Each structure stands twice: as structure tokens, then as C-alpha cells.
Amino acid sequence: MTIADAAARLAGSPVRGVRVVHGGDLSAVWRLDLADGARLIAKQGALVATEASMMKAMAATGVPVPAVIACEGDLLLMEWIDSNGGPGLEWDELAQVLACLHGAQGGSYGWAEDYAFGEVTIANAPADDWPTFWAERRLLPFIADLPAGLRARIEELARALPDLLPRRPCASLLHGDLWGGNVLSSGTRVAALIDPACYHGDREVDAAMLTLFDHPPPRFFDALDLDAGWRERQPAYRLWPLLVHLRLFGGHYRRGVEACLSELGH
């Protein structure tokens, strides 16, 4: 059965057009134009059911996300969102959106299921405290593939995390992969957050991820009203997505990993 046939059955309308959407690391992605005039996003992959549950969790907080239309087997259908790119003029509104998202809190750190970025597993089993979660679920899983010197530096940092990170911050609902490409804008408003890798943890993680490829203005961080010392913790939180990129793409991402470690004194 083709994607068009499977999507037509789930959506209840024939598919008149199918176009590949580039940029997905976890699944194949298409834009579908239906006979009834609707336009949808179709994703096919092993983890689409987990993504659907994450989208629904985010939607329940009131933040803008594409509506889940249907999910069956390895196929997920979602609402198409018109946009003109990532964060631009709407940093103030994005701060409000994140305040809403992060206001939803869980009973523990992590998520009910593991997830993945491509071939990189995202371990989400709960831990007794936040420094332990960040060390054992986010940093240490990468060290087996690193050169000995870099491995030792990350191990040293992992041991020092109880002195750097808060022991029990609020277990906020995180987007988990909040770089600029996953924030859709329309004019000067936030149209939707997409492609989540949700779990519960310190809300400063989402703030740190937005600094990987974008440059949020100071007023954005002021509006988030982060806890004292947040600037000093940002390199520890940027380190994880940089390790993911180093594993997936190699090359110059090692420089970013080493820069974060140096900022942290390790």
C-alpha cells in the first residue's frame, strides 16, 4: 500500500498530491494535499506513535502544535501548519509559549518511553535526582565512542554535576529538541512547535538548546525568569545536543563539545 493510499484511508479523503518534505531525521516526511482541500503532514517511522503521544501532551498544555489527525502502525498524520520560518520577531511570544509548556509538570524526571534521534537512543528511564538523570541518561551514554581524553573529561564532569545542577528542579514538560528549526512562525507569532523529543526535566534545557544555532535576545531570557546561576549551567545543557550531533554528524561538533567542557572547567 502506498503512502497516499494509507493516508487516504486514515484521513477519510483521497490524496491528490504528495510532496517530500526534507529535514526529518527520525522518519520519512511528506506533505499531502487531500481532495477535500485539507493539507496534512505524513510521517512514517518506527517511533511515530511516541511522537504522537508527545504532541498530544504538548497540546494539552495549550501551546500551539500541529493537531494529530491519525496514527496507525508506522504512519502518523498531522495538521499542516503554514509558516515563514523559525524564530524571528516573536521571541517575546515564544517565552510565553514556553512558560505555558513548562508549567505542566511530571512526578519524576524522564518519560514513559525511550526515544531516538536517528540511530542515537534517548534514554528516558527515571532517576532519583536531576544531576543523576543528566549524567546517566544524557552524557555518559556517549563516552564509549569518544577518544580517551574527551571521555575522561565528560566522566569528570558527570561526577561534578551534583555541585553544578539543582538536585530537584521542577520536572517541567520539555520540548526536548528546541532548536530554531522546530519553532514555526507566521508573521510575528509562534505558529507551532514541532518535532518534539519530550521528557520532564529542568526547563533550562529548552533555553540552552535555543542557543545552539540561534541567538535569542536578552529580553527572551529575562521573560523566562530562570533561576539564579542559569548562565553557568547552560554549557552543561548544551553539551548533550552537541554530543548527539557529534555522534550523528562528526567533524566540527567536537569543537563545540570541548568548548562547553572548558566553560565548565573540565
Side-chain angles (χ1 to χ4, degrees):
M1 181 180 295
T2 67
I3 288 296
D5 290 339
R9 182 177 61 81
L10 291 177
S13 176
V15 175
R16 298 303 189 200
V18 178
R19 180 181 299 179
V20 173
V21 176
H22 298 286
D25 290 328
L26 302 180
S27 48
V29 185
W30 299 269
R31 190 189 81 181
L32 306 179
D33 295 305
L34 305 188
D36 63 7
R39 181 172 289 173
L40 303 179
I41 278 284
K43 285 191 170 185
Q44 187 175 41
L47 298 175
V48 294
T50 303
E51 179 176 355
S53 69
M54 293 174 175
M55 297 297 289
K56 291 175 180 178
M58 292 175 63
T61 73
V63 304
V65 296
V68 173
I69 305 301
C71 186
E72 183 177 285
D74 65 352
L75 184 61
L76 169 63
L77 300 182
M78 292 183 294
E79 173 190 16
W80 171 269
I81 302 293
D82 289 318
S83 72
N84 56 353
L89 301 175
E90 64 285 343
W91 288 107
D92 296 324
E93 183 178 346
L94 181 57
Q96 297 174 13
V97 167
L98 291 183
C100 186
L101 178 69
H102 296 158
Q105 297 176 10
S108 62
Y109 307 117
W111 195 252
E113 304 169 87
D114 290 345
Y115 200 47
F117 291 140
E119 64 186 36
V120 177
T121 298
I122 304 173
N124 283 324
D128 291 337
D129 61 81
W130 177 244
T132 297
F133 181 90
W134 198 252
E136 296 184 357
R137 308 290 185 265
R138 294 296 179 264
L139 302 186
L140 294 177
F142 289 89
I143 63 174
D145 297 316
L146 296 175
L150 199 53
R151 182 188 315 142
R153 293 173 70 183
I154 292 176
E155 289 176 325
E156 180 185 37
L157 172 62
R159 290 192 293 270
L161 285 181
D163 296 322
L164 175 65
L165 303 184
R167 179 174 174 78
R168 296 193 183 280
C170 292
S172 297
L173 177 59
L174 305 180
H175 177 282
D177 189 22
L178 195 65
W179 67 288
N182 286 341
V183 180
L184 301 184
S185 62
S186 179
T188 59
R189 69 180 184 87
V190 175
L193 304 183
I194 62 170
D195 295 344
C198 291
Y199 58 101
H200 291 97
D202 189 346
R203 65 197 179 107
E204 292 175 14
V205 172
D206 278 346
M209 285 195 168
L210 278 168
T211 67
L212 284 178
F213 308 114
D214 296 276
H215 303 282
R219 72 178 190 276
F220 171 75
F221 297 103
D222 292 341
L224 290 180
D225 193 24
L226 302 173
D227 295 333
W230 67 268
R231 289 180 179 85
E232 290 73 22
R233 294 186 287 272
Q234 291 282 281
Y237 292 144
R238 279 196 296 269
L239 184 57
W240 175 56
L242 287 168
L243 286 169
V244 172
H245 280 72
L246 179 61
R247 170 80 67 82
L248 289 175
F249 308 115
H252 64 279
Y253 287 105
R254 176 169 177 170
R255 184 178 303 172
V257 168
E258 293 177 332
C260 285
L261 289 167
S262 296
E263 287 183 71
L264 294 164
H266 292 275

